[in-house]
């Protein structure tokens, strides 16, 4: 087959499922063959977003033909509270209602139609209360999760004294639906005795194993969770794959039959959590050059009805309010608000984007206040490249080392002709006679940097294990805790193993992620999975190699020829093993050595382990070293807006990122393109609209608009340029590679800032020139653009 | 319908099948996945808004360019989640499983499949089969028309497919790697003569499939359609089903009887231009309207490029868009401003009605129970006349309008001799803005005139707030639309 050539190094192999994807033969949970006696389920949800359940009546539902079981909280064998941080979320609502549609009753049936008919027959009586749907309402009520967290550095009073100027404002960023294409799904198979295998579309099989065990009142060793692949995750399946898996497991245990559940897209969007909306009150003091002397932030995030990962997400928001900028004196106070919406959760960036958006908006406002180009304000505030400089210390006390952002910003500004293009745009925007209206189409440019901390801020999670099994024909199976959601982690891990063992890539197969093979794993999240699991796999490979090298050294030793036994001289390359001292003779094929090893009773399998060293962040003091390193990059975006109708065109994107030495360049570029476009969706068209009852109105792609191919700049290869900074060779967690999963998403802020830049020219007659727009929200939808233009025009007329 | 065929006849991946009973009422995607276990076709949204379920539907057709007259199968990409089995009677359906040729284990991938894999166009893979099918459809069409597939054509062609992982860049790389010239025709992958022999002529047969209380009728002629309409006025008339399919999937409708109008019915899908009037048969698919009016009615074509998505335009019909009666239907402001006339037909005879009189209220039509919409006549702008359209949506493509507007203008020197303004998304039906029209008529062609007209238009409408936009935004858009029209027209003049 013609694609075979791609399977040999030094080529970068195809994505390890690509040939299955394109043929429609990659199976997702919904595609697995139907099983004998298989059932499905649907949930009856709370009819109001807030209130108490008075009665649950299920008799009529039980009588619906095809309905096999109707289950509510009284049927739970174990506890009815779960959660990754605080165990506060019911599997099935039992008293207080968290959000509209919250599962109350599980109807298990022979068919989906029967399950839905059963759901329709369930009666849930409630005492409804008016729901709390916004941060403002929850904040006013003082309804929060956890305590207020603080990060403080320097002397605020001194900072204000040194400031010639100040800005104050309230910045709001909206939520975002993950919009993985494959909705939440699970298939539970009851095993012998009390045991259960759960196939789950999850980023966190260990969590599913634990939650299912808790739900059933079992021990963890009674449950196995498997994940072959996900049809996208983006954080949305880090914790929230748990409910469907729990329902399927409960139904399977109660009926003794396999049970599969796949959410519809509408249900998935209505019932599962999203990126946290965040409202931040900010104040900045700065000098004439826009250099920040002091910054204060009061951050409130919308956690939804249950804690989920909200406190961890908020922590990352706090840790990214500085983005790439040195803040000499700073105070951050932050808290998660409780509202009556589905619990908000992880989404690529995990709170980081919300933090960075605040300061990138402030930089634009500072530039508008001072009449400066925002790039100059950014340059004045970047962390120093010199790690010894006092201007390299973050608000939480970690030093920014190996900081190449100043270089990235200079190079990108030059390679993208930022200055010339921005001047040209400003000239176009200001064309015409004084006092005339600005052109309908306004152009804007912005360059925004990203500095994203790599590591889970929860230190415990920075560990991974891997199982590498070599077979006697020289082929290898690898199992790790990393789950494949499209990001290509399996392809990268297989490449790493092939390189470590010196064998062809095609001889390595990645196995489905299973808690049976890899126990106590961390979620595939925080951009860290290739790093952590890669290092664990390397550890396993090196154990095997050490054993095989000892055997090979025995075989190569030839004292008569003057060759003493030398383990150090054994090399593994090109599917062969040889002695570096005499490369011309006696090469043992790797399969032959593996075969011989079994005969010699040498273990051909190994488990590897890795834990990131030197991490420690004290959330009580807000100080420490939460990150192993930072991934950095920057983006220049140029946009054109139609100020009258709100249209937005992205004319050009230039990206420069430092991801060290890529493991697989094409796959990692795919992360950059995909992450950035997802970020663009967050800042432009993706808007969650709820009604007064707390029902999500934008619950499907008809009304919730993720980017389309036509939203890319025209002539895409010319106008969407991504360059990688040359590798600095500095060893990070895995070789000199840097994590790439999440950071590119935040490059999308360049588009938002460019829209803001364009809008600042929309003031019109009689006074021309740029105006501050402190109230521009994120996302900058067509509606925001039209609204802000009108306000600026009104102000100009007065 | 005595003598009607009681089952559907169609083919899937080269295999002819007969389908009757309940299955005839299933969506293609459900039927493929659950009955044939062809699970490569993915379902995400069930509403034609993501393209993950894209398949190719082939219809035996006489090729115009080919003098031999031998029927060939022409393929179009559609969303299988909102296409019902009864809509593809006589068609050959190709799914992602059927695209590759050769025996299992020795398959030769279609170039679209190979390119998607080699250019890293797939990440999670869930949208991939849909993209592959859309690409295969695009290359097939480009090869047949000998039209190049440049990037802008590819972007429009892929705008009906959503991907959340890749950011589309590597998908476009894959698309650009395809060469329609060297891509083998789909005809070469299947035994086309055998398929044509089995399927051709199906449209000339009346079909009626019944299952319990449900029935679907496929008349073989227009007169039969009118007779059926008179006999079963309660039957839901279905053409492209691009909105009806969504309503079925989301449980908003469940009609027992269906009258499905196939496009071949005498003149039902005809598109013609005579004496400055464009006549669109109600059964004309929007893709065909777009293709045939690109030059004659460039303004209409520009909006049609953003109408739904390629898959939707390949299925949706002119009549469906009109009779569905949505106040945000993309075609309506153009038709209102053009003062188009609809032709309504029944066994009692044919009558004409100004478009504005077709709509009585929200989704309420002046259509008698026995009537069918047959065609619409659209006067094209004459000398000195011009028409301009606006569509505002949250996203440029594959999005339903928040607000639409049309302006028809007759100019006489510096003055405006006549003006018609139609606005959509601002009330229960598309509306004219007579106050604004009066202000413009006789006024000078200058910004002040349009500003006044815009302010009037904003005060004449009764918009509501919904998921797509707020009431105030819609008023603002009405005002701004007139300014936008002025700047566009003034820009052209200078």
């Amino acid at each position: 087959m013609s694609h075979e050539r791609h399977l040999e190094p030094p080529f970068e192999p195809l994505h390890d499922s690509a040939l299955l994807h394109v043929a429609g033969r990659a199976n997702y949970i919904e595609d697995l063959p139907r099983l004998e006696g298989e059932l499905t389920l649907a949930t009856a949800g709370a009819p109001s977003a807030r209130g108490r359940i008075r009665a649950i009546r299920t008799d009529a539902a039980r009588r619906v033909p095809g309905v096999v079981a109707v289950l509510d909280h009284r049927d739970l064998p174990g506890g009815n509270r779960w959660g990754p941080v605080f165990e506060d979320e019911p599997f099935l609502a039992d008293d207080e209602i968290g959000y509209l549609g919250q599962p109350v009753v599980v109807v298990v049936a022979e068919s989906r139609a029967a399950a839905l008919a059963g759901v329709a027959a369930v009666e849930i009586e409630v005492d409804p209360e008016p729901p709390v749907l916004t941060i403002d309402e929850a904040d006013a009520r003082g309804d929060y999760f956890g305590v207020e967290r603080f990060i403080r550095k320097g002397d605020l009073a001194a900072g204000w004294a040194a400031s010639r100027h100040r800005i104050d404002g309230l910045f709001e960023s909206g939520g975002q639906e993950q919009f993985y294409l494959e909705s939440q799904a699970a298939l539970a198979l009851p095993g012998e005795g009390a045991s259960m295998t759960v196939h789950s579309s999850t980023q966190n099989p260990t969590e599913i194993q634990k939650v299912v065990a808790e739900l059933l009142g079992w021990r963890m060793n009674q449950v196995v969770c498997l994940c072959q692949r996900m049809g996208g995750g983006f954080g949305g399946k880090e914790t929230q794959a748990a409910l469907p898996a729990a329902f399927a497991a409960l139904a399977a245990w109660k009926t003794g039959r396999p049970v599969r559940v796949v959410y519809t897209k509408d249900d998935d969007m209505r019932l599962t959590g999203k990126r946290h909306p965040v409202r931040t009150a900010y104040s900045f003091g700065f000098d004439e050059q826009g250099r920040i002397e002091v910054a204060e932030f009061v951050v409130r995030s919308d956690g939804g009805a249950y804690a989920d990962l909200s406190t961890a997400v908020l922590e990352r928001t706090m840790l990214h309010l500085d983005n790439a900028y040195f803040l000499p004196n700073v105070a951050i106070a932050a808290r998660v608000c409780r509202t009556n919406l589905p619990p908000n959760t992880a989404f690529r960036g995990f709170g980081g984007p919300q933090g960075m958006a605040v300061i990138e908006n402030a930089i634009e406002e500072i530039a508008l206040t001072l009449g400066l180009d925002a790039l100059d304000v950014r340059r004045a505030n970047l962390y120093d490249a010199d790690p010894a400089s006092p201007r390299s210390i973050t608000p939480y006390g970690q030093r920014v080392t190996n900081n190449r952002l100043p270089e990235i910003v200079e190079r990108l500004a030059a390679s993208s002709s930022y200055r010339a293009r921005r001047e040209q745009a400003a000239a176009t925007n200001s064309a015409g006679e004084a006092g005339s209206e600005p052109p309908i189409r306004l152009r804007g440019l912005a360059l925004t940097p990203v500095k994203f901390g790599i590591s889970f801020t929860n230190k415990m999670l920075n560990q991974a294990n891997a199982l590498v099994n070599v077979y006697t024909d020289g082929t290898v199976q690898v199992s790790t805790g990393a789950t494949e959601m499209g990001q290509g982690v399996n392809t990268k891990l297989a490449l790493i193993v092939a390189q470590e063992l010196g064998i062809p890539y095609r001889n390595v197969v990645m196995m489905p992620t299973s808690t049976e093979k890899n126990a106590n794993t961390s979620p595939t999240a925080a951009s860290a999975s290739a790093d952590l699991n890669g290092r664990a796999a390397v550890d396993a490979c090196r154990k095997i190699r050490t054993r095989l090298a000892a055997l090979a050294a025995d075989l190569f030793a030839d004292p008569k020829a003057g060759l003493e036994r030398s383990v150090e001289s054994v090399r593994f390359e090109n599917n062969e093993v040889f002695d570096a001292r005499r490369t011309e003779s006696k090469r043992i094929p790797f399969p032959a050595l593996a075969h011989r090893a079994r005969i010699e009773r040498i273990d051909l399998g190994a488990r590897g382990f890795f834990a990131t060293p030197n991490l420690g962040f004290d959330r009580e003091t807000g100080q420490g070293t939460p990150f192993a390193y930072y991934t950095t990059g920057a983006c220049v975006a140029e946009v054109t807006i139609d100020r009258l109708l709100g249209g937005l065109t992205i004319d050009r994107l230039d990206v420069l990122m430092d991801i060290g030495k890529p493991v697989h360049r094409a796959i990692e570029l795919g992360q950059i393109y995909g992450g950035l476009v997802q970020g663009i969706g967050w800042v432009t068209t993706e808007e969650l609209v709820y009604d007064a009852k707390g029902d999500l109105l934008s619950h499907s792609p008809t009304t919730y608009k993720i980017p389309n191919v036509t939203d890319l700049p025209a002539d895409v290869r010319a106008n969407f340029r991504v360059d990688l900074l040359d590798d600095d060779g500095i060893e990070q967690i895995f070789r000199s590679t840097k994590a790439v999963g999440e950071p590119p998403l935040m490059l999308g802020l360049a588009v938002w800032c460019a829209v803001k830049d364009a809008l600042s020219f929309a003031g019109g007659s009689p006074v021309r020139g740029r105006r501050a727009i402190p109230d521009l929200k994120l996302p900058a939808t067509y509606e925001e653009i039209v609204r802000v233009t009108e306000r600026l025009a009104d102000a100009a007329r007065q | 319908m005595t003598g009607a065929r009681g089952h559907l006849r169609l083919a899937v991946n080269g295999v002819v099948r007969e389908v009757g009973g309940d299955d005839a009422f299933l969506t293609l995607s459900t039927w493929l996945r659950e009955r044939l276990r062809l699970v490569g076709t993915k379902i995400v949204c069930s509403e034609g808004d993501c393209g993950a379920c894209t398949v190719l539907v082939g219809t035996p057709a006489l090729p115009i360019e080919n003098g031999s007259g031998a029927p060939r199968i022409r393929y179009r990409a559609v969303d299988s989640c909102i296409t019902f089995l009864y809509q593809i009677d006589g068609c050959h359906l190709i799914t992602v499983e059927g695209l590759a040729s050769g025996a299992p284990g020795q398959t030769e991938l279609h170039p679209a499949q190979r390119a998607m894999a080699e250019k890293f166009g797939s990440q999670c893979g869930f949208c991939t089969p849909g993209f592959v099918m859309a690409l295969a459809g695009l290359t097939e069409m480009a090869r047949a028309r000998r039209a190049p597939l440049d990037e802008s054509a590819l972007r429009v062609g892929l705008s009906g497919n959503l991907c959340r992982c890749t950011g589309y860049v590597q998908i476009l790389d894959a698309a650009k790697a395809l060469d329609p010239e060297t891509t083998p025709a789909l005809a070469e992958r299947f035994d086309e003569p055998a398929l044509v022999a089995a399927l051709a002529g199906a449209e000339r047969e009346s079909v009626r499939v019944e299952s319990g209380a449900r029935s679907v009728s496929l008349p073989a002629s227009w007169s039969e359609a009118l007779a059926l309409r008179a006999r079963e006025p309660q039957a839901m008339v279905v053409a492209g089903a691009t909105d009806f399919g969504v309503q079925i999937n989301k449980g908003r409708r469940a009609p027992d009887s269906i009258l499905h109008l196939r496009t071949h019915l005498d003149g039902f899908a005809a598109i013609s231009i005579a004496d400055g009037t464009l006549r669109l048969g109600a059964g004309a698919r929007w893709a065909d309207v777009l293709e045939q009016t690109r030059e004659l009615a460039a303004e209409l074509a520009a909006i049609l490029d953003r109408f739904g998505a390629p898959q939707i335009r390949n299925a949706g019909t002119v009549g469906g868009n009109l009779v569905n009666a949505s106040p945000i239907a993309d075609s309506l402001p153009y038709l209102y401003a053009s003062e188009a006339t609809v032709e309504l037909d029944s066994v009692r005879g044919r009558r004409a009605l100004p478009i504005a009189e077709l709509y009585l209220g929200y989704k309420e039509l002046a259509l008698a129970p026995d009537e069918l919409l047959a065609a619409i006549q659209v006067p094209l702008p004459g000398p000195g006349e011009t028409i301009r359209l606006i569509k505002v949506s949250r996203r440029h493509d594959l999005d339903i309008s928040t607000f639409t507007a049309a302006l028809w203008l007759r100019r006489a020197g510096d003055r405006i001799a006549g003006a018609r303004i139609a606005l959509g998304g601002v009330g229960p039906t598309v509306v004219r803005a007579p106050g604004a029209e009066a202000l413009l008529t006789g006024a000078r062609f200058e910004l002040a005139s349009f500003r006044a007209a815009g302010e009037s238009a904003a005060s004449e409408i009764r918009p509501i707030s919904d998921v797509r936009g707020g009431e105030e935004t819609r008023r603002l858009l009405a005002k701004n639309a007139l300014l936008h029209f002025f700047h566009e027209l003034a820009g052209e003049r200078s």
Side-chain angles (χ1 to χ4, degrees), chain B residues 16-345:
Chain B
V16 178
R17 293 173 180 273
E18 291 187 348
V19 183
D22 263 350
D23 282 6
F25 300 85
L26 293 176
T27 60
L28 293 189
S29 55
T30 299
W31 184 68
L32 289 168
R33 292 183 56 85
E34 293 185 8
R35 298 289 191 271
L36 306 190
R37 293 301 300 164
L38 292 173
V39 295
T41 300
K42 306 301 179 201
I43 300 174
V44 176
C45 70
S46 303
E47 55 191 19
D49 262 298
C50 74
C53 65
T54 302
V55 296
L56 297 180
V57 170
T59 315
L62 292 179
I64 300 159
E65 72 274 16
N66 177 348
S68 76
R72 300 246 353 238
I73 299 183
R74 283 185 56 188
Y75 293 91
R76 59 200 160 90
V78 302
D79 291 319
S80 65
C81 75
I82 49 168
T83 306
F84 296 93
L85 234 60
Y86 56 76
Q87 291 178 271
I88 62 157
D89 184 65
C91 296
H92 178 219
L93 180 65
I94 303 179
T95 71
V96 69
E97 292 90 348
L99 209 52
S101 58
Q106 302 170 331
T107 51
E108 178 64 31
L109 294 177
H110 184 277
Q113 293 173 308
R114 216 159 49 225
M116 280 290 279
E118 291 179 354
K119 299 290 180 182
F120 295 87
S122 79
Q123 286 186 22
C124 87
F126 211 81
C127 72
T128 310
F131 270 97
V132 161
M133 296 313 291
L135 277 174
L138 280 173
T139 32
E140 175 82 0
M141 203 186 306
R143 197 188 40 74
R145 287 184 193 157
R146 297 186 182 85
L149 271 180
D150 61 14
E151 186 177 314
S152 72
L154 288 167
R155 291 156 73 106
V156 172
L158 292 176
S159 62
N161 294 77
L162 294 181
C163 168
R164 187 55 150 171
C165 295
T166 62
Y168 304 102
V169 176
Q170 288 156 309
I171 291 175
L172 279 176
D173 287 346
K176 287 189 277 188
L178 292 173
D179 180 359
E181 298 267 321
T182 60
T183 299
L186 292 170
E188 294 170 26
R189 292 185 174 252
F190 301 96
D191 184 351
E192 187 160 270
L195 286 171
V196 168
L199 300 173
E203 79 281 4
R204 289 191 299 275
E205 298 169 357
S206 302
V207 180
R208 185 173 173 92
V209 182
E210 295 180 350
S211 174
R214 302 166 89 186
S215 69
V216 58
S217 301
L218 282 62
S221 68
W222 183 248
S223 56
E224 189 190 349
L226 292 177
L228 277 166
R229 179 73 172 141
R231 199 185 320 144
E232 293 184 1
Q234 82 287 358
M236 179 81 200
V237 180
V238 175
T242 55
D243 192 60
F244 176 69
V246 180
Q247 297 183 38
I248 293 274
N249 287 342
K250 309 273 159 150
R252 292 198 285 263
R253 262 180 198 276
D256 277 338
S257 47
I258 286 161
L259 172 59
H260 173 52
L261 303 179
R262 290 176 282 184
T263 53
H264 75 283
L265 298 172
D266 336 63
F268 183 50
I271 300 168
S272 62
I273 291 188
D275 305 328
T277 298
L278 172 67
R279 187 177 180 279
L280 303 174
R285 292 196 185 101
W286 286 109
D288 296 324
V289 176
L290 178 59
E291 199 182 327
Q292 294 187 41
T293 60
R294 202 174 276 285
E295 268 137 51
L296 291 159
E299 273 295 320
L300 176 63
I303 289 291
L304 291 184
D305 261 333
R306 294 172 59 193
F307 182 115
Q311 290 90 326
I312 301 298
R313 298 192 289 268
N314 281 336
T317 63
V318 170
N321 196 235
L322 265 62
V323 174
N324 192 44
S326 165
I328 42 179
D330 281 333
S331 66
L332 286 178
Y334 176 82
L335 301 175
Y336 267 67
S338 303
E339 297 195 333
T341 307
V342 292
E343 295 175 25
L344 306 178
D345 208 358

Side-chain angles (χ1 to χ4, degrees), chain A residues 31 642 700 706 712 717, chain B residues 42 47 155 173 395 484:
Chain A
D31 305 331
D642 178 326
S700 76
I706 69 166
L712 298 185
R717 278 299 179 186
Chain B
K42 306 301 179 201
E47 55 191 19
R155 291 156 73 106
D173 287 346
R395 184 176 65 200
H484 211 275

